Amino acid sequence: MVKTCEPPMNEPELIEKLRRRAALPRAADVVLGIGDDCAIVRPKGAREDWLYTTDMLIEGTHFLRATHRAADVGWKALARGLSDIAAMGGEARFCLLSLALAGWVDARWVDGFYDGLLTLAERAGVALIGGDLAHTDRAMCDIVMCDIVVAGTVPRGKALRRDGARAGDAIYVSGALGGSALGLAAGRGKAWMRHKRPEPRMALGRFLRTRVGATAAMDLSDGLSLDLQRMCAASGLRAETAPPPRYRGATLAQALHGGEDYELLFTAPARVCVPDAFEGLPLTRIGTMRKGTAGAVLMNGEPLPALGYDHLRSL
């Protein structure tokens, strides 16, 4: 019997451990390192900060060869990185892709993958400027894996971060949640397309930064319950919320914990009049940030467990 090694900690614990070990040198141009949607780099004398993010897409975890077309996989690979740039209110500039191909992959699949990625890249105004190609070992791991790096810019000191929320700020989400989880479960319909081809909220992120004056933001990639807990922990606050708006047909559990919605979670001062929608996309207030135990989240007065997707913890 082969025994598998269990991860020694969950994902937030490992990230925090790495953040402490990878301390930034005083002379570094890095404004923000490990722990947010993007790292922030400020070149000396520059009027803009650079945003850098990286995301992996793994067969069997993020897509299945039997149900996801190659073009959908390529689209989603880039969409995940673009969503991080959107969360900071940035403008995406370029991307790099490392792609490890499995033994079952043929030239047609590769062409389809790049068709999907480059279609989204053209729409977002992002250039693919390099990367790496490799082949996975058939005996050990015959699956497709890719890693996308996306770089963007934001005016100096204006990036939206997870740690900017203040007590009394209102909490909002864009769109309706749970659609991706519903689509994955159903394998058909509009929700299925939402799962396969998520729409990064690039314009919304810039609107929140320039017009709303959002105090904190992040993208909803791992589920509201977990991502809101992360924002609260980063800001040293707790949250009081109501159930979020649900995608038609989605369960409350899918809306809270399903993940991969790639909507934006953000906070704004209570006095700010946040519009009900942006370019047809609903913006819904779901709660308020409060002083208290950092990272605690209450929904309708009851503790909300952070049951979103943690890569190092099996639910």
Side-chain angles (χ1 to χ4, degrees):
M1 180 177 180
V2 177
K3 294 183 178 181
T4 58
C5 296
E6 292 295 328
M9 59 190 72
N10 59 35
E11 186 176 357
E13 289 173 342
L14 179 56
I15 290 173
E16 177 58 24
K17 183 177 180 180
L18 291 172
R19 188 187 66 81
R20 292 195 303 267
R21 293 187 64 185
L24 300 175
R26 292 183 180 180
D29 293 334
V30 180
V31 175
L32 182 66
I34 296 170
D36 212 304
D37 286 293
C38 301
I40 304 176
V41 177
R42 181 174 298 162
K44 288 181 174 61
R47 295 182 178 180
E48 292 182 317
D49 291 336
W50 277 91
L51 309 175
Y52 295 94
T53 184
T54 181
D55 258 301
M56 295 190 71
L57 194 75
I58 303 172
E59 181 185 348
T61 298
H62 302 106
F63 73 93
L64 301 173
R65 72 182 76 169
T67 57
H68 293 68
R69 295 185 307 132
D72 297 328
V73 179
W75 175 290
K76 192 171 184 179
L78 178 56
R80 288 160 58 83
L82 291 178
S83 187
D84 287 337
I85 301 291
M88 286 198 154
E91 185 84 41
R93 300 297 186 187
F94 61 80
C95 65
L96 299 98
L97 176 80
S98 293
L99 179 62
L101 301 172
W104 59 267
V105 170
D106 57 18
R108 182 178 179 183
W109 192 94
V110 175
D111 286 343
F113 176 92
Y114 280 103
D115 282 345
L117 186 147
L118 293 173
T119 296
L120 180 56
E122 181 177 5
R123 179 190 295 189
V126 177
L128 175 64
I129 63 170
D132 191 26
L133 291 171
H135 202 286
T136 54
D137 190 326
R138 298 187 184 188
M140 299 295 293
C141 185
D142 191 26
I143 59 175
V144 171
M145 297 181 288
C146 67
D147 179 52
I148 191 83
V149 175
V150 182
T153 56
V154 67
R156 183 184 177 98
K158 299 298 184 181
L160 299 177
R161 298 165 47 155
R162 299 180 184 184
D163 60 2
R166 298 185 292 266
D169 282 355
I171 306 168
Y172 293 84
V173 294
S174 67
L177 308 186
S180 180
L182 172 64
L184 181 61
R188 57 185 174 82
K190 293 182 179 180
W192 178 230
M193 182 57 66
R194 182 172 173 80
H195 170 75
K196 292 191 299 179
R197 294 214 172 190
E199 292 284 349
R201 303 304 187 188
M202 305 300 298
L204 174 60
R206 293 190 293 272
F207 175 77
L208 296 178
R209 173 176 58 80
T210 60
R211 302 295 296 275
V212 171
T215 51
M218 63 184 295
D219 75 329
L220 290 170
S221 56
D222 293 328
L224 176 65
S225 65
L226 180 55
D227 288 332
L228 179 54
Q229 187 273 334
R230 289 168 172 166
M231 178 180 284
C232 288
S235 295
L237 299 170
R238 66 182 178 92
E240 296 177 352
T241 76
R246 279 187 271 168
Y247 191 90
R248 185 176 181 179
T251 66
L252 180 58
Q254 288 171 330
L256 290 173
H257 316 304
E260 294 204 316
D261 282 310
Y262 299 106
E263 296 292 351
L264 296 186
L265 166 69
F266 65 96
T267 60
R271 67 179 183 277
V272 172
C273 183
V274 177
D276 293 334
F278 171 75
E279 297 182 351
L281 180 69
L283 305 178
T284 305
R285 180 173 179 173
I286 63 169
T288 305
M289 287 291 194
R290 303 290 190 191
K291 293 181 180 180
T293 303
V297 179
L298 299 179
M299 190 176 75
N300 289 341
E302 298 293 328
L304 178 65
L307 299 181
Y309 188 77
D310 184 329
H311 290 269
L312 302 184
R313 169 172 52 84
S314 174
L315 301 181

